[in-house]
Amino acid sequence: PTERGLYWLDGEHARPVQVAGLAGDVVYSLDGRGETVWVGRQYGGLTRVRMTSAGPSATQYTEKDGLAQDSVYVVHDPGDGTVWAGTLSGGVSHLRNGSFETFTVTTGLVSNSVRAIDSHDGTMWFGTPDGVSRRSGGEWRSYRTRDGLPSNDGWTIDASPYTVPGAPAFFIASLMPRRSSSPVLFARA
């Protein structure tokens, strides 16, 4: 990519976020709530950016802090005070109370490459190139084409509660990955 970084919109102007090395790194994904955004980065791991009256401040988490891998492709904030970071080849790390717990194929994840994460009512869903994994109540269950998926490539997951007669449902879309090298912009309301 020729352009990198994270930008924030302050009134009329877009400004680069110049903390924790974000200006020089590729942003893979964003998620967050309120004044906090979590950033998944190509080289810099997972970063929490907080918007303050003085501008953005950041806390960066890397392998040295217990993160599975410094290349975080997807990040998910389920709204319970924790965050999930899906990596390119190291599995998924769950940050809770300042500590990471990592899940891989040896602990129940269908692939160590996590491309999509969503959640509903405490159940976590993970899209991978080898199928979709669900974690609920500490138990893992994986789904593949042999279970009826049209493809093992789980790129996008929406775990919102949809009503299907007789059963709850969620949606998985097998899509081409985004190939944009454009910088990412988020705006404060």
Side-chain angles (χ1 to χ4, degrees):
T2 58
E3 297 180 57
R4 298 169 184 231
L6 179 69
Y7 290 73
W8 64 292
L9 191 59
D10 182 17
E12 298 294 320
H13 304 296
R15 303 181 192 284
V17 176
Q18 300 281 356
V19 294
L22 279 163
D25 205 349
V26 173
V27 173
Y28 280 145
S29 67
L30 299 170
D31 198 12
R33 298 172 189 285
E35 298 293 312
T36 300
V37 64
W38 290 94
V39 183
R41 301 167 56 175
Q42 184 177 22
Y43 301 110
L46 176 69
T47 303
R48 179 181 61 216
V49 178
R50 290 192 174 160
M51 298 305 296
T52 68
S53 59
S57 66
T59 304
Q60 184 176 6
Y61 300 92
T62 65
E63 290 179 48
K64 293 176 187 173
D65 302 300
L67 183 66
Q69 185 180 58
D70 286 342
S71 194
V72 175
Y73 189 74
V74 61
V75 61
H76 178 68
D77 176 352
D80 61 1
T82 71
V83 68
W84 292 82
T87 67
L88 287 180
S89 62
V92 64
S93 291
H94 185 208
L95 178 61
R96 179 181 16 200
N97 299 323
S99 297
F100 284 101
E101 181 177 12
T102 295
F103 301 97
T104 65
V105 294
T106 61
T107 55
L109 192 62
V110 71
S111 170
N112 285 336
S113 179
V114 179
R115 298 175 174 169
I117 306 173
D118 203 2
S119 62
H120 180 70
D121 285 343
T123 297
M124 298 300 305
W125 294 91
F126 305 93
T128 80
D130 297 325
V132 174
S133 290
R134 178 188 74 199
R135 181 170 168 79
S136 183
E139 299 293 320
W140 288 93
R141 166 75 164 96
S142 293
Y143 303 87
R144 296 185 173 102
T145 52
R146 67 177 173 246
D147 300 303
L149 291 182
S151 167
N152 283 334
D153 243 345
W155 286 100
T156 301
I157 296 176
D158 184 350
S160 302
Y162 295 95
T163 303
V164 175
F170 69 96
F171 290 96
I172 302 168
S174 183
L175 305 172
M176 292 302 295
R178 76 186 146 117
R179 302 221 186 266
S180 171
S181 62
S182 301
V184 178
L185 171 72
F186 72 94
R188 281 193 336 183

PDB file of all heavy atoms in Angstrom, residues 2 36 38 74 77 133 135 148 152 177:
ATOM      1  N   THR A   2       0.415   2.243  -0.703  1.00  0.00           N
ATOM      2  CA  THR A   2       1.166   3.492  -0.769  1.00  0.00           C
ATOM      3  C   THR A   2       0.743   4.461   0.318  1.00  0.00           C
ATOM      4  O   THR A   2       1.507   5.340   0.682  1.00  0.00           O
ATOM      5  CB  THR A   2       0.981   4.158  -2.137  1.00  0.00           C
ATOM      6  OG1 THR A   2      -0.406   4.389  -2.354  1.00  0.00           O
ATOM      7  CG2 THR A   2       1.540   3.281  -3.241  1.00  0.00           C
ATOM      8  N   THR A  36     -13.757   5.093  22.204  1.00  0.00           N
ATOM      9  CA  THR A  36     -12.666   4.127  22.025  1.00  0.00           C
ATOM     10  C   THR A  36     -12.834   3.376  20.715  1.00  0.00           C
ATOM     11  O   THR A  36     -13.921   2.894  20.396  1.00  0.00           O
ATOM     12  CB  THR A  36     -12.637   3.117  23.188  1.00  0.00           C
ATOM     13  OG1 THR A  36     -12.440   3.823  24.404  1.00  0.00           O
ATOM     14  CG2 THR A  36     -11.526   2.101  23.015  1.00  0.00           C
ATOM     15  N   TRP A  38     -10.800   0.224  18.536  1.00  0.00           N
ATOM     16  CA  TRP A  38      -9.743  -0.793  18.500  1.00  0.00           C
ATOM     17  C   TRP A  38      -9.287  -0.933  17.056  1.00  0.00           C
ATOM     18  O   TRP A  38     -10.103  -0.990  16.139  1.00  0.00           O
ATOM     19  CB  TRP A  38     -10.278  -2.124  19.020  1.00  0.00           C
ATOM     20  CG  TRP A  38     -10.549  -2.091  20.483  1.00  0.00           C
ATOM     21  CD1 TRP A  38     -11.741  -1.808  21.095  1.00  0.00           C
ATOM     22  CD2 TRP A  38      -9.614  -2.338  21.526  1.00  0.00           C
ATOM     23  NE1 TRP A  38     -11.595  -1.869  22.459  1.00  0.00           N
ATOM     24  CE2 TRP A  38     -10.286  -2.194  22.755  1.00  0.00           C
ATOM     25  CE3 TRP A  38      -8.260  -2.662  21.554  1.00  0.00           C
ATOM     26  CZ2 TRP A  38      -9.666  -2.369  23.973  1.00  0.00           C
ATOM     27  CZ3 TRP A  38      -7.636  -2.839  22.777  1.00  0.00           C
ATOM     28  CH2 TRP A  38      -8.332  -2.696  23.971  1.00  0.00           C
ATOM     29  N   VAL A  74      -8.470  -8.806  11.893  1.00  0.00           N
ATOM     30  CA  VAL A  74      -9.835  -8.413  12.259  1.00  0.00           C
ATOM     31  C   VAL A  74      -9.911  -8.232  13.765  1.00  0.00           C
ATOM     32  O   VAL A  74      -9.304  -8.974  14.529  1.00  0.00           O
ATOM     33  CB  VAL A  74     -10.876  -9.452  11.757  1.00  0.00           C
ATOM     34  CG1 VAL A  74     -10.647 -10.817  12.369  1.00  0.00           C
ATOM     35  CG2 VAL A  74     -12.298  -8.981  12.009  1.00  0.00           C
ATOM     36  N   ASP A  77     -15.113  -5.801  19.168  1.00  0.00           N
ATOM     37  CA  ASP A  77     -15.471  -5.358  20.514  1.00  0.00           C
ATOM     38  C   ASP A  77     -16.915  -5.784  20.767  1.00  0.00           C
ATOM     39  O   ASP A  77     -17.844  -5.177  20.243  1.00  0.00           O
ATOM     40  CB  ASP A  77     -15.339  -3.837  20.598  1.00  0.00           C
ATOM     41  CG  ASP A  77     -15.775  -3.252  21.928  1.00  0.00           C
ATOM     42  OD1 ASP A  77     -16.342  -3.990  22.767  1.00  0.00           O
ATOM     43  OD2 ASP A  77     -15.571  -2.050  22.132  1.00  0.00           O
ATOM     44  N   SER A 133     -16.088 -21.108  12.923  1.00  0.00           N
ATOM     45  CA  SER A 133     -16.081 -21.669  14.272  1.00  0.00           C
ATOM     46  C   SER A 133     -16.989 -20.849  15.177  1.00  0.00           C
ATOM     47  O   SER A 133     -17.075 -19.631  15.047  1.00  0.00           O
ATOM     48  CB  SER A 133     -14.666 -21.667  14.864  1.00  0.00           C
ATOM     49  OG  SER A 133     -13.850 -22.599  14.221  1.00  0.00           O
ATOM     50  N   ARG A 135     -17.887 -20.295  19.354  1.00  0.00           N
ATOM     51  CA  ARG A 135     -17.499 -20.538  20.749  1.00  0.00           C
ATOM     52  C   ARG A 135     -18.639 -20.053  21.624  1.00  0.00           C
ATOM     53  O   ARG A 135     -18.998 -18.882  21.616  1.00  0.00           O
ATOM     54  CB  ARG A 135     -16.213 -19.821  21.094  1.00  0.00           C
ATOM     55  CG  ARG A 135     -15.774 -20.080  22.532  1.00  0.00           C
ATOM     56  CD  ARG A 135     -14.361 -19.557  22.763  1.00  0.00           C
ATOM     57  NE  ARG A 135     -14.007 -19.528  24.168  1.00  0.00           N
ATOM     58  CZ  ARG A 135     -13.632 -20.574  24.888  1.00  0.00           C
ATOM     59  NH1 ARG A 135     -13.558 -21.757  24.334  1.00  0.00           N
ATOM     60  NH2 ARG A 135     -13.321 -20.441  26.169  1.00  0.00           N
ATOM     61  N   GLY A 148     -22.942 -28.129   5.327  1.00  0.00           N
ATOM     62  CA  GLY A 148     -23.913 -27.380   4.556  1.00  0.00           C
ATOM     63  C   GLY A 148     -23.491 -25.986   4.128  1.00  0.00           C
ATOM     64  O   GLY A 148     -24.228 -25.311   3.413  1.00  0.00           O
ATOM     65  N   ASN A 152     -16.032 -23.021   2.423  1.00  0.00           N
ATOM     66  CA  ASN A 152     -15.340 -22.947   3.710  1.00  0.00           C
ATOM     67  C   ASN A 152     -14.801 -21.552   3.998  1.00  0.00           C
ATOM     68  O   ASN A 152     -14.426 -21.254   5.126  1.00  0.00           O
ATOM     69  CB  ASN A 152     -14.192 -23.955   3.753  1.00  0.00           C
ATOM     70  CG  ASN A 152     -14.687 -25.362   3.986  1.00  0.00           C
ATOM     71  OD1 ASN A 152     -15.742 -25.578   4.568  1.00  0.00           O
ATOM     72  ND2 ASN A 152     -13.927 -26.328   3.516  1.00  0.00           N
ATOM     73  N   PRO A 177     -11.907 -10.784  -0.256  1.00  0.00           N
ATOM     74  CA  PRO A 177     -11.375  -9.870   0.752  1.00  0.00           C
ATOM     75  C   PRO A 177     -11.198  -8.487   0.149  1.00  0.00           C
ATOM     76  O   PRO A 177     -10.979  -8.344  -1.043  1.00  0.00           O
ATOM     77  CB  PRO A 177     -10.031 -10.485   1.117  1.00  0.00           C
ATOM     78  CG  PRO A 177      -9.656 -11.290  -0.072  1.00  0.00           C
ATOM     79  CD  PRO A 177     -10.948 -11.795  -0.665  1.00  0.00           C
TER      80      PRO A 177
END
